[in-house]
């Protein structure tokens, strides 16, 4: 392997690759030599990140995807195998906060509707994208990883999958589901050499959090809750994904990688 390149000869599918944490992860995987099939529902932005990866000398392609579609998942995995020969890494990053941008941001440490204000429709949408999408992706990738002789599945949960907060119960539930789903999948597929881990970011500056972090009251409370005293960057989370994707973590499965500036240590 070329020095400094940790994913040479590996093929990665990265969902949510058009923005924030997904874009940073896809870029980093590309820099480390992986062939990346970047997927997202945002076509222009997804294509622009693929262009960036290619301009930096990496190998990447874009595929439009709504992670809620079972049939589309089959097609995505088939495309990765057809174009690049195998699937070694699946990074399930696509997600939504479920916060209505028109709604006033509550001054609690996390923003979003309170439980009694959440409709069933809202609950289902958050669960379908954040949890069911991860299940569908994991299920679709497993046969391809078995064919490849193993693999690494990285599911993005959140600190909200570990602790509760003032608001947005659906988001907490969806991310908590990702955490335990990953452990069950890790146990079931360890005999196939398929590792499954969850990543739990704290408050990271991305388009998802931009409105909240632009509100000084919300930003102050979130920073006070973060011992290291700054918001995370998408790169902070991508670095953790790189570790879990690479053979450096070959004895790591069913674990939770918390990257939160110390927030949940409190
Ligand atoms: P982001 O909004 O910048 O990126 C999310 C991406 O997911 C977007 O490109 C969006 O188009 C895509 N997406 C949304 N719904 C989709 C769907 N149905 N199908 C396909 N793609 C879809 O947000 P981000 O902050 O980079 O978040 C990435 C992940 O990290 C999410 O799962 C989020 O819940 C999680 N997370 C973020 C933070 C944070 O502070 N930013 C903290 C903890 C966890």
């Amino acid at each position: 392997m070329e020095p400094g390149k940790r994913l040479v000869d590996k093929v990665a599918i990265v969902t949510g690759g058009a923005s924030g944490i997904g874009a940073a992860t896809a870029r980093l995987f590309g820099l480390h030599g992986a062939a990346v099939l970047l997927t997202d529902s945002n076509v222009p932005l997804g294509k622009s990140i693929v262009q960036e990866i290619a301009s930096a000398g990496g190998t990447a392609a874009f595929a439009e995807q709504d992670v809620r579609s079972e049939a589309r998942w089959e097609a995505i995995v088939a495309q990765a195998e057809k174009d690049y020969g195998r699937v070694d890494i699946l990074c399930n990053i696509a997600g939504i906060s479920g916060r209505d941008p028109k709604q006033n941001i509550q001054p609690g440490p996390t923003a979003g509707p309170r439980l009694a204000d959440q409709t069933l429709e809202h609950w289902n949408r958050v669960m379908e994208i954040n949890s069911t999408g991860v299940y569908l992706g994991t299920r679709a990738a497993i046969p391809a990883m078995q064919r490849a002789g193993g693999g690494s599945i990285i599911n993005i949960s959140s600190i909200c999958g570990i602790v509760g907060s003032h608001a947005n119960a659906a988001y907490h539930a969806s991310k908590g589901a990702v955490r335990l789903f990953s452990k069950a999948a890790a146990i079931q597929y360890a005999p196939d050499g398929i590792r499954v881990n969850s990543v739990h970011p704290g408050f990271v500056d991305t388009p998802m959090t931009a409105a909240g972090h632009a509100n000084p009251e919300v930003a102050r409370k979130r920073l006070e809750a973060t011992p290291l005293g700054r918001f995370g960057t998408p790169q902070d989370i991508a670095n953790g994904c790189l570790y879990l994707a690479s053979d450096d973590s070959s004895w790591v499965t069913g674990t939770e990688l918390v990257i939160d500036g110390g927030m949940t240590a409190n």
Side-chain angles (χ1 to χ4, degrees), residues 178-243:
V178 167
R179 175 173 171 240
L180 281 182
F181 169 77
S182 300
K183 291 186 195 299
I187 291 165
Q188 289 183 27
Y189 291 94
D192 295 302
I194 298 171
R195 301 184 293 107
V196 188
N197 294 287
S198 56
V199 172
H200 300 260
F203 299 121
V204 181
D205 268 328
T206 70
M208 182 182 281
T209 52
H213 293 181
N215 178 324
E217 178 75 347
V218 172
R220 185 181 60 76
K221 287 204 163 153
R222 288 185 172 191
L223 285 172
E224 277 172 8
T226 305
L228 285 178
R230 67 166 174 87
F231 291 128
T233 63
Q235 184 74 29
D236 288 324
I237 312 307
N239 290 337
C241 294
L242 174 62
Y243 166 67

Side-chain angles (χ1 to χ4, degrees), residues 15-23 39-42 45 65-68 92-97 125 129-130 156-160 171 175 199-209 213 222 234 237:
T15 78
S19 176
I21 292 167
T39 85
D40 205 285
S41 52
N42 187 326
L45 219 49
Q65 180 184 28
D66 183 330
V67 293
R68 293 170 290 183
N92 282 309
I93 302 183
I96 58 167
S97 70
R125 181 173 154 74
I129 295 175
N130 291 355
I156 304 299
S157 175
S158 168
I159 49 169
C160 296
Y171 187 75
K175 293 300 186 179
V199 172
H200 300 260
F203 299 121
V204 181
D205 268 328
T206 70
M208 182 182 281
T209 52
H213 293 181
R222 288 185 172 191
I237 312 307

